[in-house]
Amino acid sequence: MSEESDPFECRLTFLALLKKVSASQQSIHKVAIYAMRHKNLCEDLYNCLIEQLEQASLNARLNIIYVLDAIFSASQKSRYSGYIDLTRPDLPRIVHAVVANGPKGVLNVPNTQMIINNWKRKQYFEASVLEEAEKPLIECAASSNHTQAITTDSFSKEDILRRMEEDRERHKRLREEIWIRPAEESQDAEFEEFWNTTETLDPESDYEVMMVQNMLRLPNYAWNAMLDQRSAMSQ
């Protein structure tokens, strides 16, 4: 029973799991399940996670933030907020740890951005909190423009192939969960999300793009005449 768990033993076990975690879904879920099983020690386990995150290698840090994402997902399903509440003030620190490890840290930016986008969609945190957390990503991407570019010479062929395979594995759960909506959200939440993230219609160019797409779908319709008329009006 988690109520009878020894805090010291739980910390050691959790640290061991974090040190061994890989990009596989089974490995990530194993750590998340342990964290939820012993959520009465959430503060201790969270501190272990942060400690290991800041000590781990660049690739391992990415695995750990995916562990955190899995913990949040399990927490939301069980309506438990302990880990999310502990993480909220540390979000910029966590993101910075994942991406700020020299010029190579930029390699973790796309995956970390995917995680942040998923947290936005799941509404784990307030928008302002996530906006602040994204600043290290922007800074890392900007600094990479002023530093020496990372070339394939920086990595062996085996390293590149391993990273590609691990990224595919990490993305599996995010792709699986993209259609899962929070149970408590309104019926219009998904529509509003798409509406708010859709760019404003640009009459100068969007109509022509739409007509070209229509021509591909319905080639027998008089789209050419409409397109010519639109082009003449814009001149």
Side-chain angles (χ1 to χ4, degrees):
M1 298 291 292
S2 61
E3 291 79 2
E4 301 174 357
S5 300
D6 177 69
F8 181 72
E9 181 180 349
C10 279
R11 282 180 60 92
L12 291 179
T13 302
F14 194 60
L15 278 171
L17 289 172
L18 288 171
K19 290 177 181 178
K20 295 179 181 178
V21 70
S22 68
S24 75
Q25 294 305 297
Q26 182 179 3
S27 176
I28 290 171
H29 285 151
K30 182 178 181 180
V31 184
I33 289 170
Y34 188 89
M36 292 303 296
R37 183 183 301 149
H38 300 280
K39 60 180 180 289
N40 62 306
L41 299 173
C42 66
E43 188 169 353
D44 286 333
L45 299 186
Y46 173 76
N47 289 334
C48 288
L49 188 146
I50 296 299
E51 175 185 330
Q52 186 59 29
L53 175 69
E54 295 180 333
Q55 295 177 358
S57 66
L58 183 68
N59 201 42
R61 294 182 188 194
L62 199 56
N63 292 334
I64 292 175
I65 200 173
Y66 272 84
V67 166
L68 199 56
D69 179 66
I71 292 174
F72 292 166
S73 179
S75 296
Q76 188 179 64
K77 291 174 183 176
S78 61
R79 300 183 182 277
Y80 177 73
S81 63
Y83 288 108
I84 293 175
D85 291 340
L86 287 168
T87 304
R88 183 176 286 103
D90 287 336
L91 272 176
R93 173 187 175 187
I94 290 169
V95 174
H96 187 272
V98 177
V99 301
N101 190 26
K104 292 183 180 180
V106 73
L107 293 175
N108 282 351
V109 170
N111 279 281
T112 308
Q113 186 65 65
M114 288 180 64
I115 290 289
I116 295 294
N117 291 342
N118 186 52
W119 292 352
K120 288 179 181 178
R121 187 171 60 85
K122 294 296 186 66
Q123 299 179 354
Y124 294 147
F125 305 100
E126 299 81 1
S128 58
V129 173
L130 289 173
E131 183 178 342
E132 184 68 22
E134 282 183 299
K135 289 183 178 180
L137 295 178
I138 299 172
E139 293 171 0
C140 183
S143 65
S144 68
N145 295 329
H146 303 287
T147 57
Q148 183 177 2
I150 301 173
T151 66
T152 54
D153 294 337
S154 304
F155 304 92
S156 67
K157 181 179 179 180
E158 291 74 17
D159 289 337
I160 295 172
L161 292 175
R162 186 186 308 112
R163 176 64 185 241
M164 291 172 62
E165 182 60 33
E166 289 180 346
D167 281 348
R168 280 195 292 268
E169 186 67 27
R170 292 187 189 103
H171 298 165
K172 281 182 180 178
R173 192 174 62 81
L174 292 182
R175 289 197 300 268
E176 291 170 356
E177 289 197 350
I178 195 169
W179 301 111
I180 301 175
R181 310 295 302 185
E184 64 276 8
E185 74 176 11
S186 67
Q187 293 182 347
D188 297 329
E190 187 172 10
F191 170 80
E192 291 174 356
E193 178 183 333
F194 283 114
W195 180 265
N196 292 331
T197 55
T198 300
E199 295 183 2
T200 304
L201 184 69
D202 182 2
E204 296 299 324
S205 59
D206 288 344
Y207 284 124
E208 293 188 8
V209 173
M210 291 163 62
M211 287 184 187
V212 171
Q213 292 298 317
N214 288 337
M215 290 169 63
L216 296 175
R217 301 297 186 278
L218 297 171
N220 295 326
Y221 194 78
W223 298 114
N224 283 323
M226 296 180 65
L227 184 58
D228 292 341
Q229 182 181 9
R230 176 67 190 174
S231 299
M233 291 175 60
S234 62
Q235 292 178 355

